[in-house]
Amino acid sequence: MSVTQQQVLEALAGVKSPRGVALTNANVLSPIAVSDGKVFFSINVDAAEARAWETVRAQAESVVRAIPGVASAMIALTAERKAGAPQPATRRQAPGQAPSHSPGHSPSHSHGVAPVAAHRPPPNPGGSPMARQSDIPGVAAVIAVASGKGGVGKSTTALNLALGLRDLGLRVGLLDADIYGPSVPRLTGIREKPELNDERKMIPIQRFGLAVMSIGFLVEEDTAMIWRGPMVMSAITQMLRDVAWGTLDVLVVDMPPGTGDAQLTLAQNVPLKGAVIVSTPQDLSLIDARRGLAMFTKVNVPVLGIVENMSYFQCPHCGTRSDIFGHGGARHEAERLGVPFLGEIPLHMAIRATSDSGNPVVASEPDGPHAAIYRAIGAKVRDQLKGATAAA
Ligand SMILES: Nc1ncnc2c1ncn2[C@@H]1O[C@H](COP(=O)(O)OP(=O)(O)OP(=O)(O)O)[C@@H](O)[C@H]1O
Ligand SMILES: [Mg+2]
């Protein structure tokens, strides 16, 4: 029996909204997508009201799940930015990404996310990341790619690092946990929505030999999203545990930028075996990188190392290298902090163009110099992981 939108709307009409009217009359529902018994939609409310809507979202999910024939329901609570309101600091210009653009720095902590201080993450019973790692059956290691601030090339690095690890013969997955601005759909060119298996788990999309999952597959990429703290965890937890990852050696998680409460909660709750910090050579970014390091140390997640992205400028015409940002900062910082230095990635048009066209450089130019750099970083990460396992 196939489920219809009408059935979903009828079920939702029985849910009362905080505005006193039925949910279906509150003017907050996105179009409802129903396919093969899977129901996806979002409830879009004003950021200030979001807390009051959390229970409504949960109720909506349970009434939809109760409809005969519904295999799963994924209902997101999103807070849409009002026209004219300041842009949440999620999509940023990469520093110096093209000569005609001025470097864009925006401190990560200015993120347009409501404070989540009231939301205390559940305690981590095992205390150590090793105790947490077996949480996802079949996945041997979950690693985070993180940065202190946005726009440093974290997503680009996460995807190309995942491909580098794939090239070393590992089975690799990529989870885009940047629920504020998922960019993996764009970076991979994936447009389809995940299917469900018999156990009602979402099947990750296979692309470039990677198992890929992103919240962006479920909601539109350009919907401005401001998630409430508890929603952040439930969305990420669902993507980690309600996804049929299969057997993976490494699951690479592209973290949201910043080191705020939401990120800390995430770092604490995701069963991470280690973290890779991406930084640009600028001082500002290094200060942020230090903050990123401190965040992982706080939650007992080993830092596998630092990657310096946009490390030096490589002229696409003559190949000449210029250290326009005074490169080498991240290497020194890593040495100073006693953290492994994983490698330097140049600022290069090919990396930007391939990323932005959904054809990451390691996949599209496997024999080129950039792919070799990402593979070398991948090899160091793999060795760090081996070391972490041996030490456990
Ligand atoms: N090494 C590089 N050379 C050239 N361009 C790069 C490089 N790394 C990243 N970029 C470009 O910089 C921009 C930002 O990169 P990316 O989206 O990976 O950053 P991010 O840290 O994930 O950002 P956000 O904080 O918004 O999630 C993209 O346009 C990307 O193509
Ligand atoms: Mg990103």
Side-chain angles (χ1 to χ4, degrees):
M1 182 178 45
S2 62
V3 182
T4 62
Q5 277 183 350
Q6 191 52 36
Q7 281 176 290
V8 175
L9 286 170
E10 278 164 18
L12 294 176
V15 176
K16 202 157 182 194
S17 76
R19 293 178 191 173
V21 295
L23 181 56
T24 40
N25 291 333
N27 206 17
V28 292
L29 297 181
S30 73
I32 292 169
V34 184
S35 117
D36 297 338
K38 289 164 285 176
V39 180
F40 299 115
F41 64 91
S42 60
I43 301 174
N44 308 301
V45 298
D46 198 85
E49 294 179 288
R51 184 177 291 273
W53 284 85
E54 269 154 28
T55 48
V56 177
R57 188 204 67 83
Q59 274 174 30
E61 212 163 67
S62 67
V63 298
V64 172
R65 287 205 173 124
I67 301 171
V70 167
S72 76
M74 170 94 184
I75 300 172
L77 180 63
T78 67
E80 220 147 349
R81 201 168 10 107
K82 290 230 173 81
Q87 172 112 10
T90 50
R91 298 258 70 81
R92 295 174 199 87
Q93 175 94 44
Q97 65 184 205
S100 57
H101 293 130
S102 63
H105 299 286
S106 22
S108 58
H109 26 267
S110 68
H111 226 293
V113 184
V116 290
H119 172 65
R120 286 278 156 257
N124 161 27
S128 91
M130 296 308 154
R132 289 180 276 157
Q133 68 178 307
S134 60
D135 277 24
I136 306 168
V139 179
V142 184
I143 63 169
V145 175
S147 62
K149 64 174 251 201
V152 299
K154 186 165 33 61
S155 302
T156 305
T157 307
L159 173 57
N160 282 299
L161 170 62
L163 290 165
L165 290 164
R166 172 206 68 176
D167 286 351
L168 299 171
L170 301 180
R171 289 160 297 187
V172 186
L174 177 69
L175 170 62
D176 179 4
D178 189 350
I179 55 167
Y180 305 115
S183 48
V184 164
R186 176 174 50 87
L187 297 180
T188 55
I190 295 174
R191 294 281 168 268
E192 56 263 46
K193 289 197 189 302
E195 299 281 312
L196 288 186
N197 69 7
D198 293 343
E199 292 164 343
R200 300 182 174 186
K201 290 196 168 199
M202 285 182 278
I203 303 169
I205 309 284
Q206 292 293 327
R207 186 65 49 100
F208 312 117
L210 305 176
V212 187
M213 187 64 204
S214 166
I215 196 86
F217 299 159
L218 308 177
V219 295
E220 293 305 317
E221 190 179 355
D222 48 9
T223 312
M225 283 184 283
I226 306 172
W227 298 71
R228 298 291 307 180
M231 271 303 296
V232 171
M233 268 328 292
S234 82
I236 309 263
T237 309
Q238 212 166 347
M239 285 196 296
L240 268 172
R241 299 185 210 289
D242 294 352
V243 170
W245 288 108
T247 307
L248 294 181
D249 297 306
V250 187
L251 176 60
V252 178
V253 181
D254 178 13
M255 298 277 285
T259 50
D261 281 351
Q263 287 81 0
L264 189 65
T265 308
L266 203 86
Q268 189 158 31
N269 284 274
V270 174
L272 294 174
K273 201 161 178 189
V276 171
I277 309 282
V278 180
S279 178
T280 56
Q282 289 96 323
D283 274 344
L284 182 68
S285 177
L286 288 175
I287 292 165
D288 285 306
R290 237 169 279 159
R291 218 176 270 138
L293 284 172
M295 175 173 86
F296 286 107
T297 310
K298 202 165 161 181
V299 294
N300 278 325
V301 172
V303 173
L304 301 170
I306 299 182
V307 171
E308 186 171 89
N309 188 37
M310 310 191 201
S311 177
Y312 50 91
F313 176 71
Q314 205 173 13
C315 173
H317 307 294
C318 61
T320 312
R321 167 180 172 148
S322 343
D323 293 337
I324 45 179
F325 302 125
H327 116 280
R331 182 188 288 275
H332 289 139
E333 191 62 23
E335 272 166 19
R336 208 177 65 78
L337 296 166
V339 170
F341 182 69
L342 299 173
E344 300 162 350
I345 303 162
L347 173 69
H348 196 282
M349 270 312 281
I351 297 178
R352 176 170 152 67
T354 53
S355 258
D356 293 349
S357 66
N359 240 330
V361 74
V362 175
S364 57
E365 298 171 20
D367 300 323
H370 306 307
I373 292 172
Y374 285 111
R375 273 195 292 273
I377 293 174
K380 287 197 177 145
V381 167
R382 178 198 53 193
D383 295 346
Q384 289 295 325
L385 283 173
K386 275 192 199 147
T389 308

